[in-house]
């Protein structure tokens, strides 16, 4: 057992400053699997080391995707290690051999959590979801299912279910992304509207969006050139602005 602060310090550097220099990196299996089960930021940081052991040293982790799925909570769009987490999640969900129910569960959970996410996170997660649809065409039933639920209470998807296979995600529809098409931020609404059209075969590059911050988003809006919009084509006369109004004879606006 290590203090939380020490766990974080170790896991941040473990994948690139420790594992490559070990004769037997598999000795870290127990440490990383325990850290992965702790939850929160520690689990997110353990993903880097686990990825190396799974990818390069044939580590088998039966409940890996179940735990990854349960790491998705409302804080995931706000944490300091968001870019690192979604970069690795993108890699883990890149295999075409994953079952459709599993990918659909990730899509639905990410979409449901997106309803309370900040704009800078939404501009990253919507292309992320679109890429999952490109890799796994069987999940497109979520977009093309006619007559989705009339309200949230009728959605068959079970958000509280920890087992992705029992979440009933494939029976649902992606009404969350449709609701984001009315988002107050125009860039988010435009990004969400992409699902109204047929998706291109080429995946979106999300690497430049992983670390997008609220400051960068605000700075981009401030630097936009303002367009002069005519507000009134006829000069106001009188109290109520009508040209031949009786009030215009007795009241004037100076």
């Amino acid at each position: 057992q290590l203090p939380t602060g020490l766990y974080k310090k170790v896991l941040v550097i473990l994948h690139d400053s420790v594992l490559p220099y070990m004769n037997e990196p598999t000795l870290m299996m127990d440490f990383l699997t325990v850290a992965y089960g702790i939850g929160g930021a520690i689990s997110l940081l353990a993903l880097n080391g686990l990825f190396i052991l799974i990818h390069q040293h044939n580590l088998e982790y039966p409940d890996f995707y179940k735990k990854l799925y349960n790491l998705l909570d409302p804080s995931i769009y706000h944490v300091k290690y968001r870019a690192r987490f979604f970069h690795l999640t993108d890699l883990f969900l890149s295999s075409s051999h994953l079952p459709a129910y599993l990918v659909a569960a990730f899509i639905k959970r990410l979409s449901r959590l997106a309803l309370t996410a900040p704009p800078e996170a939404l501009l990253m997660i919507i292309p992320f979801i679109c890429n999952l649809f490109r890799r796994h065409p069987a999940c497109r039933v979520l977009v093309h299912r006619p007559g989705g639920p009339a309200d949230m209470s009728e959605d068959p998807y079970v958000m509280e279910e920890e087992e992705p296979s029992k979440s009933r995600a494939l029976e649902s529809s992606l009404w969350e992304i449709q609701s984001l098409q009315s988002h107050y931020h125009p860039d988010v609404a435009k990004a969400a509207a992409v699902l109204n059209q047929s998706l291109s075969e080429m995946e979106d590059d999300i690497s430049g969006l992983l670390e997008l911050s609220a400051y960068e988003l605000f700075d981009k809006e401030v630097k936009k050139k303002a367009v002069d919009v005519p507000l009134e084509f006829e000069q106001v006369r009188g109290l109520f602005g009508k040209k031949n109004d009786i009030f215009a004879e007795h009241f004037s606006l100076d």
Side-chain angles (χ1 to χ4, degrees):
Q1 295 294 325
L2 298 176
T4 302
L6 187 56
Y7 255 123
K8 291 180 180 178
K9 288 181 180 178
V10 170
L11 292 171
V12 163
I13 63 170
L14 187 68
H15 65 286
D16 58 358
S17 299
V18 179
L19 289 179
Y21 302 101
M22 293 181 67
N23 291 329
E24 295 184 45
T26 51
L27 292 174
M28 301 302 296
M29 284 181 180
D30 290 339
F31 173 74
L32 286 168
T33 51
V34 168
Y36 188 45
I38 289 176
I42 294 176
S43 293
L44 300 186
L45 293 173
L47 275 175
N48 276 95
L50 278 177
F51 173 71
I52 291 176
L53 294 183
I54 291 172
H55 184 64
Q56 299 178 9
H57 301 281
N58 300 317
L59 170 65
E60 291 188 11
Y61 198 120
D63 293 331
F64 178 80
Y65 283 99
K66 177 183 174 181
K67 291 193 176 183
L68 182 64
Y69 177 75
N70 288 302
L71 284 179
L72 300 176
D73 58 30
S75 67
I76 202 67
Y77 293 125
H78 305 272
V79 292
K80 178 180 178 182
Y81 309 106
R82 185 186 72 192
R84 178 187 296 218
F85 173 75
F86 279 104
H87 170 69
L88 289 170
T89 304
D90 187 45
L91 288 175
F92 291 133
L93 295 176
S94 61
S95 172
S96 58
H97 299 291
L98 294 175
Y101 75 82
L102 178 67
V103 179
F106 274 91
I107 290 174
K108 274 296 293 184
R109 196 172 181 97
L110 288 170
S111 301
R112 184 67 60 84
L113 296 174
L115 294 174
T116 57
E120 63 272 15
L122 291 174
L123 291 175
M124 176 270 298
I125 203 61
I126 293 174
F128 184 94
I129 290 173
C130 289
N131 285 346
L132 292 180
F133 279 124
R134 292 184 176 99
R135 297 170 191 168
H136 308 275
C139 294
R140 295 187 184 184
V141 66
L142 295 175
V143 178
H144 300 298
R145 173 170 284 122
D151 56 54
M152 186 175 171
S153 62
E154 297 179 10
D155 191 344
Y157 172 66
V158 185
M159 179 75 171
E160 296 76 20
E161 177 57 55
E162 294 184 357
E163 183 63 56
S165 61
K166 299 179 182 178
S167 65
R168 300 177 64 193
L170 274 177
E171 302 173 31
S172 182
S173 63
L174 218 59
W175 59 267
E176 296 91 347
I177 301 299
Q178 187 175 11
S179 68
L180 290 178
Q181 293 174 8
S182 302
H183 198 272
Y184 70 87
H185 198 289
D187 289 349
V188 173
K190 182 180 178 182
V194 170
L195 285 176
N196 290 341
Q197 308 162 3
S198 59
L199 292 174
S200 62
E201 295 296 325
M202 184 74 68
E203 288 192 12
D204 295 322
D205 183 12
I206 64 169
S207 58
L209 302 171
L210 291 174
E211 297 186 15
L212 185 66
S213 65
Y215 175 80
E216 291 173 333
L217 208 58
F218 181 80
D219 194 48
K220 177 184 174 183
E221 292 296 321
V222 169
K223 290 180 179 178
K224 282 184 178 179
K225 291 184 179 180
V227 179
D228 293 330
V229 180
L231 301 178
E232 183 61 69
F233 67 93
E234 184 176 331
Q235 187 176 358
V236 175
R237 293 181 65 240
L239 186 61
F240 295 104
K242 294 182 179 180
K243 189 173 183 180
N244 298 320
D245 193 354
I246 188 173
F247 290 100
E249 300 177 11
H250 304 285
F251 298 92
S252 61
L253 298 176
D254 295 331

